[in-house]
């Protein structure tokens, strides 16, 4: 069985994640909640502007579960 999940979120200036949105559900609200909670804990190197100052950006993430 293959389960696809897609989310969109903001990477804040400090590299933390905010505003996680489910774009395409896994089909399980419980699994979606766990994925959103996990994504919320991720950390990134933030995008920077032309002066090297960190800026917020958005990202779409696709997660493909296979079993």
């Amino acid at each position: 069985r293959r389960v696809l999940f897609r989310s969109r979120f903001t990477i804040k200036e400090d590299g933390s994640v905010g505003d996680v949105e489910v774009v395409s559900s896994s089909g399980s609200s419980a699994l979606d909640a766990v994925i959103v909670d996990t994504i919320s804990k991720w950390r990134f190197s933030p995008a920077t502007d032309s002066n090297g100052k960190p800026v917020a950006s958005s990202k779409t993430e696709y997660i493909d579960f296979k079993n």
Side-chain angles (χ1 to χ4, degrees), residues 12 24 28 39:
K12 300 177 185 179
S24 178
S28 165
I39 290 172

Side-chain angles (χ1 to χ4, degrees), residues 37-61:
D37 183 59
T38 300
I39 290 172
S40 297
K41 296 174 183 172
W42 289 356
R43 295 293 176 261
F44 293 85
S45 295
T48 55
D49 64 15
S50 59
N51 295 317
K53 180 181 175 187
V55 295
S57 60
S58 61
K59 178 170 178 54
T60 299
E61 186 70 32

Side-chain angles (χ1 to χ4, degrees), residues 10-56:
T10 300
I11 301 170
K12 300 177 185 179
E13 292 88 347
D14 65 359
S16 65
V17 172
D19 304 322
V20 181
E21 171 189 357
V22 176
V23 176
S24 178
S25 172
S26 68
S28 165
S29 58
L31 180 57
D32 290 352
V34 169
I35 296 169
V36 167
D37 183 59
T38 300
I39 290 172
S40 297
K41 296 174 183 172
W42 289 356
R43 295 293 176 261
F44 293 85
S45 295
T48 55
D49 64 15
S50 59
N51 295 317
K53 180 181 175 187
V55 295

